[in-house]
Amino acid sequence: MAPTEPLRQRRSANNSKNGADPLKSSPPTSDESSCSDSEHVATTSHFANTSDDAPSSSTRPTPPAFSSSPSAKTSSSMPYLQYVGLLVWPCMLFLPLLLTTTSHHYSTIFPRQWYTLNGEKWLNAELEQGGIWNSNTWINSITAKWYDKPLRHPLGLTLGISAVAIGHVFLLIYFRMHQQQLLGKTTPIQSRGAVQYVYYDALKHHLAQPGGFLLLGLYLTITWVFDMLPSSYYSFEGGIQYGNVALCLICQDFVQFIMHKVEHVAHPKVYRISHKPHHKYTNPKLFDAFDGSVPDTAIMILAPLFVTAHVVRTCNVWTYMAFGSTYANWLTLIHSEVTFPWEGVFRKLGLGTAADHHVHHKFFKYNFGHLFMWFDMLVGSYRSPKEVWGKEFNVGV
């Protein structure tokens, strides 16, 4: 045994006797299970790890993604470049804004019968409640045997899924530029450094997760086509209702906070079959956001989505799109392995950041909220990343 091991054991024993906060005394956990054969955990030489169990600096390689580069040096002379990333937020709303506020108005592109009940008097609130799928379509012939109600036309569904996808494309383009330090120097959240990976392999894995986008698409299809949402959700009248978007995000995160807590504490078997697969990532990267299990997605994402739709009942289709795109992309951003320029302001407002969520993945029993830290603050389960600066996390994240 190395000479330092008895000292570490004595420190660990003292921490246990003194009731030390696990957030400050937990030993680093291995991230081997979170990496594929092509991945490895690395830390940067210019970010100090003051944890007792940190590897020596001589054993820590500097990953190319976070090392000094000509682009990083150039952008450091133009610090405002990092704030280009703020544009990713309005870009999440690109499609609903395009189809309601520009010359490419949806009414000039799609037939009226696709988005009105009677195919006439468009923009009439009483009629503008989504179209009916024509009864002679093949899907109606299949469902007619066991479902006797008219099916909703899939225009709104298709546009909604497209809105999320387009917003995600903008996010991925921005993240690639940010990761490559084209907009300024990046900081890995954890002091052991960001997990290294092959970008396009990780991207393909991210998009193909059965417990992620595929299951979410199936949920959206069933609830939309079979008329399981409040009637206003099918309305194309007006534009984005930003107040309702905010209400949906808060309601979704509140219910998700409860379900997340339940998965952790209800029963070990519940945790093992639902949320544990996602927690193999103790040092997550952006592409781990939807890498979990089908039960986890059903419990923590789909159930809250259904509850939210029936609590905030006055959204129109554009608001539903804006909420869905913002939610899915924000949930992805908080799994990032590096910080973003807006996180200082977000933390002051109690909005979820990547560093906040890394606290949960690293220590397991704090920060159960995702988009908002308010609920953790109310029940005492919030821990700020500042508490482990210079230890498990890099200073300033």
Side-chain angles (χ1 to χ4, degrees):
M1 181 182 291
T4 57
E5 288 302 312
L7 177 59
R8 291 176 184 167
Q9 292 174 356
R10 288 197 298 272
R11 286 175 177 171
S12 176
N14 289 336
N15 283 337
S16 298
K17 291 178 181 180
N18 297 332
D21 191 334
L23 184 63
K24 300 183 179 180
S25 61
S26 295
T29 52
S30 172
D31 221 19
E32 292 176 358
S33 63
S34 71
C35 307
S36 66
D37 293 338
S38 62
E39 294 173 339
H40 64 277
V41 178
T43 53
T44 59
S45 59
H46 54 279
F47 294 115
N49 184 344
T50 58
S51 173
D52 292 331
D53 294 318
S56 64
S57 59
S58 61
T59 65
R60 283 181 270 156
T62 301
F66 305 109
S67 60
S68 297
S69 64
S71 61
K73 292 177 180 177
T74 300
S75 58
S76 66
S77 63
M78 296 183 290
Y80 59 85
L81 268 181
Q82 64 178 318
Y83 296 106
V84 170
L86 295 174
L87 294 175
V88 75
W89 294 93
C91 284
M92 295 176 191
L93 312 181
F94 176 81
L95 188 60
L97 288 174
L98 175 71
L99 294 177
T100 58
T101 64
T102 72
S103 58
H104 301 287
H105 197 271
Y106 70 91
S107 63
T108 66
I109 300 174
F110 305 110
R112 293 179 185 177
Q113 62 267 28
W114 287 11
Y115 54 87
T116 62
L117 287 176
N118 299 319
E120 58 185 15
K121 297 182 180 178
W122 64 276
L123 294 182
N124 181 316
E126 295 180 358
L127 301 178
E128 192 95 353
Q129 299 292 337
I132 297 299
W133 218 346
N134 196 312
S135 59
N136 62 8
T137 59
W138 63 270
I139 190 70
N140 288 85
S141 62
I142 294 175
T143 60
K145 299 177 182 178
W146 49 271
Y147 186 79
D148 57 1
K149 292 176 61 178
L151 301 179
R152 287 289 186 171
H153 195 280
L155 174 62
L157 168 69
T158 304
L159 292 178
I161 293 175
S162 299
V164 176
I166 292 171
H168 209 60
V169 168
F170 281 116
L171 182 153
L172 293 173
I173 292 172
Y174 162 66
F175 182 71
R176 186 57 171 165
M177 296 173 66
H178 183 64
Q179 183 197 50
Q180 293 295 304
Q181 304 192 82
L182 298 177
L183 302 176
K185 189 175 180 179
T186 58
T187 303
I189 292 169
Q190 297 196 27
S191 54
R192 54 178 160 164
V195 172
Q196 299 299 291
Y197 54 91
V198 178
Y199 182 85
Y200 293 105
D201 288 348
L203 174 61
K204 287 188 289 185
H205 183 73
H206 166 65
L207 297 177
Q209 282 302 309
F213 295 109
L214 296 179
L215 189 59
L216 186 58
L218 180 62
Y219 162 83
L220 292 172
T221 299
I222 292 173
T223 55
W224 180 275
V225 172
F226 292 102
D227 201 17
M228 298 172 67
L229 300 171
S231 61
S232 69
Y233 278 64
Y234 299 93
S235 173
F236 281 66
E237 182 188 18
I240 299 174
Q241 303 156 304
Y242 293 98
N244 277 351
V245 172
L247 288 176
C248 285
L249 291 171
I250 294 169
C251 183
Q252 171 73 17
D253 201 58
F254 174 66
V255 180
Q256 187 169 352
F257 166 82
I258 294 173
M259 303 306 284
H260 192 186
K261 186 80 171 178
V262 167
E263 283 188 322
H264 273 266
V265 304
H267 194 279
K269 286 185 179 179
V270 174
Y271 177 74
R272 186 163 57 250
I273 67 173
S274 61
H275 198 49
K276 186 177 180 179
H278 185 62
H279 264 292
K280 65 184 177 183
Y281 303 112
T282 59
N283 185 15
K285 60 183 183 294
L286 183 111
F287 294 125
D288 296 333
F290 291 97
D291 192 348
S293 69
V294 170
D296 188 40
T297 301
I299 293 170
M300 207 163 65
I301 295 180
L302 303 188
L305 279 175
F306 192 77
V307 171
T308 297
H310 289 273
V311 171
V312 188
R313 300 180 61 87
T314 57
C315 298
N316 61 24
V317 69
W318 310 111
T319 303
Y320 193 32
M321 286 183 209
F323 156 61
S325 183
T326 304
Y327 169 69
N329 287 296
W330 194 350
L331 198 63
T332 303
L333 286 168
I334 64 169
H335 286 83
S336 170
E337 62 271 26
V338 295
T339 58
F340 297 109
W342 54 78
E343 295 199 345
V345 174
F346 269 37
R347 190 161 304 134
K348 290 180 180 178
L349 297 175
L351 306 182
T353 68
D356 285 318
H357 198 59
H358 268 252
V359 168
H360 178 73
H361 275 263
K362 178 68 176 175
F363 301 103
F364 299 99
K365 62 180 184 178
Y366 305 106
N367 299 7
F368 293 93
H370 291 79
L371 311 187
F372 305 94
M373 295 295 103
W374 305 337
F375 314 117
D376 286 289
M377 293 173 180
L378 284 173
V379 301
S381 58
Y382 177 70
R383 291 296 183 273
S384 171
K386 290 183 179 181
E387 295 185 35
V388 286
W389 280 4
K391 298 174 183 177
E392 286 85 358
F393 286 14
N394 283 311
V395 174
V397 300

